[in-house]
């Protein structure tokens, strides 16, 4: 099975790209969804998070309040690192379980959507990494509308991630998402055809690569 990473900054459009990939039969595993699974009520993961941050990060129903937790960890890098050390091994274990199930189901290509893929050195696990890049002003507008956050809070989250130039240098393929939904769909279809070698109805032959070509990856 070939596993490809999908990453990009907050508000870049990763989830939209993931949805298009799934339309073409490519399973997408979301690290965010896995992180929710490992902190469900009654789980050891949630108990560990509460032990570290206190009951105030729970809502009235005993579920993790991600907005409260986010306000804490994005304001304090040490707290964010402590949370990542707590959850990442659990997420990694769940990811391996999902991969095993997908392989047994006969899938040969899988995409792993991870916001902090490079930050957590996960590129070494991947057969290649696809980066979605978007102008900062568009990212701020999208996240503000989606999450009801002000620009300062969004910039704090952006600052906790790699900048887009660094992501592009590390990428195997870059999708630029500065246009509308149809523009993004075209970019994804080109990537599917040229990079993942998935047959796209109505497309044949080589197409331009989305974004600047990255330098060759060094084998380890």
């Amino acid at each position: 099975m070939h596993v490809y990473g999908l990453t990009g900054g907050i508000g870049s459009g990763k989830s939209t790209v993931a949805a298009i990939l799934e339309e073409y039969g490519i399973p997408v595993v979301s690290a965010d969804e896995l992180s929710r699974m490992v902190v469900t009520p009654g789980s050891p993961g949630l108990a560990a998070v509460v032990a570290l941050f206190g009951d105030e990060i729970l809502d009235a129903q005993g579920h993790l309040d991600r907005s409260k937790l986010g306000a804490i960890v994005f304001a304090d890098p040490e707290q964010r690192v402590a949370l990542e050390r707590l959850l990442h091994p659990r997420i990694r274990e769940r990811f391996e379980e999902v991969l095993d199930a997908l392989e047994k189901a006969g899938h040969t290509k899988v995409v792993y959507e991870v916001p902090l893929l490079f930050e957590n050195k996960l590129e070494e696990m991947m057969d290649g990494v696809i980066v979605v890049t978007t102008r900062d002003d568009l990212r701020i507008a999208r996240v503000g509308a989606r999450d009801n956050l002000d620009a300062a809070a969004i910039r704090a989250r952006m600052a906790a991630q790699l900048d887009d130039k660094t992501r592009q240098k590390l990428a195997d393929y870059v999708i630029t998402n500065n246009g509308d939904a149809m523009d993004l769909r075209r970019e994804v279809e080109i990537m599917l055809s040229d990079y993942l070698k998935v047959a796209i109805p109505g497309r044949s032959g080589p197409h331009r690569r989305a974004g600047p070509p990255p330098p060759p990856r060094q084998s380890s």
Side-chain angles (χ1 to χ4, degrees), residues 131-220:
V131 164
V132 186
T133 183
T134 307
R135 296 198 324 261
D136 285 357
D137 61 312
L138 292 177
R139 294 168 60 191
I140 291 171
R142 291 170 183 167
V143 177
R146 183 189 70 197
D147 298 339
N148 195 29
L149 293 172
D150 60 29
I154 298 168
R155 289 189 182 279
R157 284 159 170 73
M158 292 168 63
Q161 302 177 340
L162 285 181
D163 62 273
D164 264 4
K165 288 184 179 179
T166 302
R167 287 194 198 92
Q168 290 182 58
K169 289 178 181 178
L170 295 171
D172 293 283
Y173 195 98
V174 177
I175 293 174
T176 301
N177 181 24
N178 290 330
D180 60 20
M182 289 305 299
D183 292 330
L184 180 58
R185 177 173 289 275
R186 282 191 292 270
E187 295 289 350
V188 175
E189 289 178 347
I190 291 169
M191 183 275 295
L192 281 164
S193 177
D194 292 359
Y195 183 57
L196 294 187
K197 306 304 180 185
V198 174
I200 304 297
R203 290 187 180 275
S204 61
H207 301 86
R208 69 177 180 84
R209 188 182 181 94
R217 291 287 292 274
Q218 299 297 316
S219 59
S220 54

Side-chain angles (χ1 to χ4, degrees), residues 83-96:
L83 178 65
E84 290 171 353
R85 286 176 177 168
L86 188 67
L87 294 184
H88 285 174
R90 292 176 167 86
I91 294 171
R92 173 73 174 269
E93 181 179 2
R94 186 60 63 91
F95 175 59
E96 295 292 345

Side-chain angles (χ1 to χ4, degrees), residues 4 6 11 24 26 40 59 69 79 94 99 106-107 118 123 126 133 158 160 163 166 186 196 198:
Y4 297 89
L6 173 64
Y24 283 99
I26 304 295
T40 53
D59 63 19
L69 182 59
Q79 295 276 52
R94 186 60 63 91
L99 275 189
H107 293 284
F118 292 122
E123 68 271 22
M126 307 296 149
T133 183
M158 292 168 63
D163 62 273
T166 302
R186 282 191 292 270
L196 294 187
V198 174

Side-chain angles (χ1 to χ4, degrees), residues 95-111:
F95 175 59
E96 295 292 345
E97 293 172 355
V98 172
L99 275 189
D100 183 61
L102 288 170
E103 187 168 25
K104 288 177 179 176
H107 293 284
T108 59
K109 293 184 178 75
V110 175
V111 169

